[in-house]
Amino acid sequence: MNSSRYLPRLTAALAGVAVVSLSLSVSSSVQARELSVSTVLSDAFPWGQAAEKWAELVAERSDGELTLRVYPNSQLVNGDQTREFSAMRSGLIDAAVGSTINWSPQVPELNLFSLPFFMPDVEAVDAVTGGAAGESVFAAIESRGVVPLAWGENGFRQLSNSQGPIDAPEDLEGLKIRVVGSPLFQDTFTALGANPTQMSWADAKPALTTGAVDGQENPLSVFDVARIDQVGQEYLTLWNYMNDPLVFAVNQQVWDSLSAEERTVLREAAEEAGAWEIAMTREQEPERLAAIKERGVTVTELDEAQHQAFVEATESVHDEWVPRIGSEIVEAARADMQGE
Ligand code: X2X
C-alpha cells in the first residue's frame, strides 16, 4: 500500500478535527457570559455587598460560565440613579440590585413602599414583600420588561439635619431637605412644611458639605458608612417613616436568552444573597446606632403622640398617591400586614 495515497484523506481528517475543536471553543466562549449589574451604593454598604454576594454565588454555581460584574455608584447611568430602571429595560444594563425608590418613576406601583408611615416595622415589610402585594409589585415590574428575582433591603429611612432636634412636623418648617428624585418625596416633605430639593446621591454629600441643604433621609447603614455626621448632620430622628426594599432584577431579553439552568442559578443566588443581606442589614442596626451616638450625633426618638402628629401631617400624601399606586395593591398590602 502506498501511504502517500492516504495522505490527503488524513490531512482532511485532521483538518476536520481542527474545525470541530475550533467550533467547540467558539461555542464555549459564546456560552461563557458576563452580565453587568448596576448598583447605587458600593460594597462598603450592605446594598453593594448584596450584589457582590449574588455575583459570587453565580460564579461558583455556574462554574464560571456565567459571571456578574458589579458596577457601583450608578456609574452605568452617569450618576443618575432614577434612570437605572430605563437603562435596564432598554438593555444598556443587563441587571441591577436597585432601590424601589429609584425605580418608582417608571414603575408607579413601587411607590407603595414610600407611602409615609404605612409599614411600621420589619414584620410589616416582610408581610408585604412576601405576600400578595409583593407578588403584584413583581408583576408590575415584569410587565415593564424587567424580570424581578428577589428582594433585598436598604432599610428604614431616618431623618437627619444640621439645625436642631426634630420631634414634630413644625421643626421641619422651612428646612431644605435633600430627597431622591422621586415625586412622592417632594410631596411628603412639602406636606411636612419643609423645602425639599431633589438630587442624586452623587450630589447629596457635596450639598450637605457646603450647607446647600440642611438635611437628608437615609437608612442607618448609609448614615454610618458614608459618615454623614462629618458633613454637619448632628441631629438624627428615628421615625421609621418608610422602608426602602431592594430588588434583584434582570433585563427581559437577557433573561430569555439564558438556559433554564442559568435562570435557576441566577434566581436562587439572588434569593440567597437577598435573604443574607436583609438579615445582615437588620442585625447591624443596633451597633450602627451606637457608633453614630458615640460620634456625638443627637438621636431623637418619637413617642406615640409625636409619631401620630407626623402621620396626620402626611395624610394628604396617601390621598394623592394611593390612586397612582393602585388601590388594589395598597389594599392587598394592608391585608398582608394584617395577616389576612
Ligand atoms: O439616594 C439615596 O438616598 C439612596 C442611596 O438611599 C438611594 O439610592 C435610594
Side-chain angles (χ1 to χ4, degrees), residues 39-41 45 47 74 81 98-102 154 157 178-181 185 199-202 204 216-219 222 244 246:
T39 64
V40 175
L41 298 180
F45 302 82
W47 182 343
S74 318
Q81 64 211 53
S99 153
T100 52
I101 302 174
N102 294 332
N154 193 16
R157 298 177 75 90
R178 174 269 168 174
V179 293
V180 193
F185 288 77
M199 65 183 77
S200 69
W201 174 243
Q216 63 89 44
E217 46 76 56
N218 250 300
V222 179
D244 179 16
L246 303 174

Side-chain angles (χ1 to χ4, degrees), residues 67-129:
T67 52
L68 304 181
R69 184 189 287 263
V70 182
Y71 294 87
N73 305 317
S74 318
Q75 60 185 282
L76 298 177
V77 283
N78 294 321
D80 188 353
Q81 64 211 53
T82 53
R83 284 180 38 230
E84 186 180 63
F85 189 86
S86 308
M88 179 169 40
R89 176 171 51 190
S90 69
L92 286 171
I93 296 173
D94 296 323
V97 179
S99 153
T100 52
I101 302 174
N102 294 332
W103 297 358
S104 64
Q106 291 84 35
V107 188
E109 291 85 350
L110 290 174
N111 285 295
L112 174 70
F113 296 98
S114 305
L115 280 176
F117 306 102
F118 184 54
M119 296 176 207
D121 47 32
V122 291
E123 287 75 24
V125 173
D126 290 346
V128 172
T129 54

